[in-house]
């Protein structure tokens, strides 16, 4: 249990549906598996889903709102994960709440969580409006998650600009839903394209993986598994890199997939036609 | 990618969509991140007018090319009133014709500068030097 050294990390994307909440859930479990105490805070109380991905939806009684109003203690509101008791969830509020919490409220909550955790992961709401800004105000550093699609990268760029003005740093990048074959065939933005455009260090690459859907259906993050699927392994690697381990990243856009792709790549290089 | 896609690539020399995505993103982010500097915008404006003038006669004085931002979306808006289309497009390059319209713009601004006073409107300036019907409009 640390206090001042707790890392308060915002997980954000701008665009919705690129994998913020999935990353928060999996990263939380992965860090807990590495022996860290982790608090995950769902800052998106209008459309909260982190409870669902963690399989904790039936165990929420209080939220940060009650903690702030002092109608309950923090440890009453925190929902511990059964399999990984190092991980606890705190929803910022419930969907019936009419008002956003203030940036100060979020800072207070994050501060309380930091007192009892090694890592505080804040799952930001989509968009760049007040809900996002409140969550960013409470964070020290950030992970921006995006997919290799123009709309997601553009929105990520907006978020990165805002984080810079709010003095949140360092900001690292996770590239989600990567399709290695499409990248090798240049039918998808390459890893280098995205990191060059966004000018952020790459914390992790997560392949498109059907297991993500299955794990969401069950409310069991992939990183709980003893032998995780490719995406699960990628999330575990992200957790270890966050902790300072050096794990090499393999760029699928530079991989060769079979004879045809190799031929195409060779043609592209030699002719420069397409 | 199917074999058919591959053949299409060879035949049409189509760019892979990943490359297109990168180029489109770079362009749109350039707009998103900063306002275009006015000098460059002016240069772009002049070049756009030159190209358009090779194909149609336009009313230079009421042309408007500008960047407009609304709800975090920036657009390059060009309002170029067409007087008439040219029968044959003029050749590209400034030597044959390109000097014409750009020179006219230059003359217009130079004369108003020289005269300085409020009397000559830019619209009348090219009419004095002008030889083309485009310039004879009041």
């Amino acid at each position: 249990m640390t206090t001042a050294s707790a890392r308060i990390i915002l997980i954000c994307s701008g665009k919705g549906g690129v994998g913020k909440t999935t990353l928060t859930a999996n990263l939380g479990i992965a860090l807990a598996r590495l022996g860290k105490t982790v608090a995950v805070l769902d800052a998106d109380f209008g459309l909260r889903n982190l409870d669902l991905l963690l399989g904790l939806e039936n165990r929420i009684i209080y939220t940060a709102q009650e903690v702030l109003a002092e109608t309950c203690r923090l440890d009453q509101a925190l929902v511990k994960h059964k399999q990984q008791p190092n991980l606890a969830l705190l929803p910022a509020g419930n969907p019936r709440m009419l008002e956003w919490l203030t940036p100060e409220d979020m800072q207070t909550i994050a501060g309380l969580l930091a007192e009892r955790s090694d890592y505080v992961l804040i799952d930001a709401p989509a968009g760049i409006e007040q809900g996002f800004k409140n969550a960013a105000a409470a964070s020290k550093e950030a992970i921006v998650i995006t997919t290799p699609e123009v709309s997601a990268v553009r929105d990520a760029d907006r978020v990165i600009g805002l984080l810079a003005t709010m003095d949140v740093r360092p900001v690292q990048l996770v590239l989600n839903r990567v399709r290695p074959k499409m990248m090798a065939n240049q039918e998808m933005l390459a890893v280098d394209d995205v990191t060059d455009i966004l000018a952020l260090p790459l914390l992790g690459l997560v392949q498109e993986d059907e297991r993500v859907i299955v794990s969401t259906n069950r409310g069991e993050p992939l990183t709980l598994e003893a032998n995780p699927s490719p995406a699960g392994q990628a999330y575990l690697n992200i957790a270890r890199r966050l902790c300072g381990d050096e794990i090499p990243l393999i760029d699928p856009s530079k991989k060769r997939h079979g004879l045809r792709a190799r031929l195409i790549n060779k043609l592209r290089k030699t002719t420069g036609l397409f | 990618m199917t074999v058919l896609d591959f053949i299409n690539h060879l035949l049409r020399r189509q760019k892979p969509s990943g490359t297109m995505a990168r180029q489109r993103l770079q362009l749109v982010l350039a707009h998103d991140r900063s306002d275009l500097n006015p000098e460059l915008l002016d240069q772009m404006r002049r070049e756009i007018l030159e190209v358009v003038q090779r194909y149609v006669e336009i009313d230079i004085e009421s042309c408007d090319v500008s960047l407009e931002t609304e709800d975090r979306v920036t657009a390059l808006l060009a309002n170029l009133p067409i007087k008439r289309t040219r029968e044959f497009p003029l050749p590209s390059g400034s030597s044959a014709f390109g000097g014409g319209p750009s020179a006219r713009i230059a003359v217009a601004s130079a004369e108003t500068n020289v005269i300085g006073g409020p009397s000559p409107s830019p619209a009348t300036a090219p009419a004095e030097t002008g030889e083309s019907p485009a310039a004879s409009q009041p």
Side-chain angles (χ1 to χ4, degrees):
Chain A
M1 302 270 173
T2 50
T3 49
S5 62
R7 290 174 69 178
I8 306 177
I9 307 174
L10 180 74
I11 294 172
C12 56
S13 64
K15 188 175 180 297
V18 298
K20 275 186 302 295
T21 309
T22 307
L23 174 65
T24 311
N26 279 286
L27 191 54
I29 295 282
L31 287 167
R33 275 184 68 175
L34 293 171
K36 312 289 182 188
T37 50
V38 186
V40 288
L41 173 62
D42 192 347
D44 190 353
F45 52 79
L47 302 165
R48 69 179 194 199
N49 278 320
L50 187 54
D51 52 350
L52 210 49
L53 295 206
L54 285 166
L56 301 175
E57 68 275 16
N58 293 325
R59 292 173 51 202
I60 291 173
I61 303 167
Y62 301 111
T63 68
Q65 204 185 12
E66 284 84 22
V67 178
L68 284 166
E70 297 185 349
T71 53
C72 79
R73 295 190 314 275
L74 179 61
D75 58 308
Q76 288 177 302
L78 281 171
V79 187
K80 271 193 184 167
H81 198 273
K82 275 191 184 138
Q83 286 147 282
Q84 287 294 335
N86 277 345
L87 176 90
L89 164 75
L90 180 67
N94 61 61
R96 293 178 298 281
M97 271 169 63
L98 293 178
E99 289 173 27
W100 290 106
L101 302 171
T102 65
E104 291 74 27
D105 289 337
M106 292 298 283
Q107 282 165 352
T108 309
I109 290 293
L112 288 173
L113 293 172
E115 281 173 22
R116 48 183 298 145
S117 323
D118 298 318
Y119 285 85
V120 178
L121 305 181
I122 303 182
D123 186 17
I128 48 173
E129 284 76 30
Q130 200 55 48
F132 163 77
K133 286 177 181 164
N134 291 350
S139 310
K140 289 180 189 160
E141 53 185 297
I143 297 173
V144 173
I145 180 165
T146 189
T147 62
E149 292 160 83
V150 285
S151 51
V153 175
R154 185 192 198 179
D155 293 356
D157 188 75
R158 294 278 307 171
V159 162
I160 292 161
L162 281 173
L163 290 174
T165 64
M166 300 176 84
D167 262 347
V168 179
R169 67 172 73 91
V171 180
Q172 302 182 83
L173 185 72
V174 167
L175 192 54
N176 197 21
R177 307 193 70 168
V178 167
R179 292 165 177 256
K181 278 188 184 167
M182 289 190 77
M183 272 197 183
N185 289 332
Q186 298 184 36
E187 295 295 353
M188 187 170 244
L189 281 168
V191 176
D192 286 349
D193 291 343
V194 180
T195 52
D196 287 354
I197 286 171
L198 297 180
L200 288 185
L202 191 61
L203 181 66
L205 287 170
V206 185
Q207 285 190 25
E208 176 88 59
D209 185 349
E210 289 179 357
R211 299 295 302 167
V212 173
I213 297 171
V214 177
S215 86
T216 317
N217 293 343
R218 295 195 171 132
E220 294 166 2
L222 291 171
T223 43
L224 277 174
E225 294 169 15
N227 295 307
S229 67
Q233 189 57 51
Y235 289 124
L236 281 171
N237 287 346
I238 290 168
R240 289 177 58 194
R241 286 189 198 104
L242 262 189
C243 295
D245 289 2
E246 285 196 12
I247 302 162
L249 280 154
I250 296 156
D251 185 344
S253 35
K254 286 173 185 159
K255 258 191 190 170
R256 299 285 182 267
H257 290 271
L259 189 63
R260 201 173 64 210
R262 246 186 304 186
L263 179 69
I264 293 166
N265 279 326
K266 187 153 192 179
L267 267 171
R268 280 205 179 106
K269 275 192 180 159
T270 49
T271 60
L273 283 179
F274 59 107
Chain B
M1 187 193 285
T2 63
V3 178
L4 192 65
D5 281 337
F6 177 54
I7 293 167
N8 280 340
H9 271 295
L10 284 178
L11 292 179
R12 296 183 197 159
R13 296 178 179 184
Q14 204 176 27
K15 275 185 199 165
S17 69
T19 311
M20 284 177 66
R22 189 187 64 231
Q23 290 166 349
R24 292 178 59 217
L25 254 178
Q26 282 168 334
L27 197 68
V28 79
L29 289 183
H31 280 279
D32 286 357
R33 285 172 182 173
S34 65
D35 301 325
L36 201 59
N37 106 38
E39 263 181 44
L40 278 178
L41 184 62
D42 194 44
Q43 186 186 339
M44 180 170 71
R45 197 184 67 88
R46 269 185 274 122
E47 285 178 16
I48 288 172
L49 291 185
E50 276 179 33
V51 171
V52 173
Q53 282 197 95
R54 295 212 304 266
Y55 298 89
V56 290
E57 282 182 29
I58 50 178
D59 185 0
I60 293 262
E61 294 311 320
S62 41
C63 282
D64 180 28
V65 179
S66 59
L67 285 177
E68 288 193 12
T69 307
E70 196 178 325
D71 288 337
R72 296 196 293 275
V73 178
T74 306
L76 177 71
L77 295 181
N79 188 0
L80 312 176
I82 296 172
K83 286 181 166 174
R84 72 192 71 164
T85 54
R86 294 194 191 281
E87 213 176 330
F88 304 103
L90 295 161
S92 62
S94 57
S95 56
F97 178 77
S102 57
R104 207 183 300 152
I105 297 169
V107 166
S109 59
E111 288 211 353
T112 47
N113 280 346
V114 168
I115 299 163
S119 44
S121 80
T124 58
E128 287 161 18
T129 63
E131 65 299 327
S132 75
S136 64
Q137 184 227 347

